[in-house]
Amino acid sequence: MDTTSETAGQGKDASGARRAYRDVRREQHAIVRQELLDRFGEDGRIDAHEDPIRWRRALRTHPVIGPVYRVVIATLGLLLIIAGIPMVPLVGPGWAVIFVGLFLWSTEFIWARRVTQFVKAEVKAFEQYTRALPWKAKIPMLLLSAAFGWFCFYLALLITGVPGWLPEQVLDLLLQVPGLHLA
C-alpha cells in the first residue's frame, strides 16, 4: 500500500500519527520538483511562447523587445534585492522585498524559479509539520517566535532610534525601555 499519495502534504500519516519532519520535507520537495517538471519539462527552460499571460508573452516573443524586457526584469529584481538587504536588520519589510525581487526574477530565469520552489517546499513542509504538533509543542515555538520578533524590533529601534511621529502614549512607553532614545 502506497502511503505517500494518502499523506501528500500532510503532517500526519494514515493512522493519525505525526510524521517525521524529514519525511514531510522530502515529500514537499518531491512535489515542487514535479511541479517544475510538469511546467517546464525535462530541459527546464521557460518558453516565451507558452507564457500564460498574454501581454508578457507578446513582449517576450518580440525579437527586439524580448531581450530588453529580460534585462529590465533582471535589473528590477536586482534593485529590489539590493534595497531589501538593508531593510532586514532595520525597520522595513526586508524579506518581503527580497522575495518580491526573487519572484520577479523567477518569471524569466529558471534558476530563480528553482530557488522560489525550494523556499515554497521548505515553508510548506514546516507548516504541515507544525500543524500536526500538539499544542504543548506549539506554544514554545510561538513564544520563541514572538520573542525573536520583539528582539529584532528592539534592535531596529536601538539602531535607528524611536521615531517622533508615534502617538504620545506609545512614544512614552518605548522611551522607558533601556537603551532606546528619540530619533
Side-chain angles (χ1 to χ4, degrees):
M1 181 170 143
D2 182 25
T3 59
T4 306
S5 60
E6 294 175 11
T7 60
Q10 298 176 5
K12 294 185 178 185
D13 62 13
S15 66
R18 185 168 40 95
R19 297 173 58 215
Y21 180 71
R22 179 183 67 247
D23 296 336
V24 176
R25 185 175 178 268
R26 185 180 312 118
E27 182 179 277
Q28 287 303 321
H29 281 279
I31 290 169
V32 296
R33 269 194 306 277
Q34 189 60 46
E35 287 175 2
L36 278 172
L37 189 62
D38 293 345
R39 175 76 171 92
F40 302 110
E42 291 291 332
D43 63 354
R45 294 179 43 85
I46 298 176
D47 188 11
H49 296 284
E50 294 178 4
D51 195 325
I53 302 171
R54 189 180 346 166
W55 66 266
R56 194 170 69 189
R57 183 176 54 245
L59 287 177
R60 292 177 69 204
T61 56
H62 193 278
V64 175
I65 297 174
V68 172
Y69 173 75
R70 200 166 159 96
V71 168
V72 167
I73 293 297
T75 305
L76 284 175
L78 182 63
L79 289 174
L80 284 168
I81 289 172
I82 289 172
I85 289 171
M87 285 189 225
V88 171
L90 301 174
V91 176
W95 285 112
V97 173
I98 289 171
F99 283 125
V100 167
L102 187 61
F103 289 134
L104 186 61
W105 274 347
S106 73
T107 64
E108 288 299 311
F109 305 105
I110 194 68
W111 63 266
R113 178 64 64 104
R114 286 188 184 113
V115 171
T116 58
Q117 291 293 81
F118 176 82
V119 170
K120 175 183 173 182
E122 289 294 319
V123 169
K124 188 72 173 171
F126 186 73
E127 183 264 336
Q128 291 295 331
Y129 179 75
T130 56
R131 186 176 289 220
L133 288 174
W135 271 104
K136 62 183 174 186
K138 288 180 187 177
I139 291 173
M141 291 174 67
L142 290 171
L143 291 174
L144 283 172
S145 297
F148 180 73
W150 282 109
F151 178 70
C152 290
F153 181 65
Y154 172 75
L155 283 179
L157 290 179
L158 198 61
I159 294 168
T160 63
V162 178
W165 50 263
L166 290 172
E168 191 173 326
Q169 297 87 353
V170 175
L171 192 62
D172 291 340
L173 186 64
L174 286 175
L175 290 175
Q176 292 177 8
V177 176
L180 296 185
H181 56 82
L182 198 56

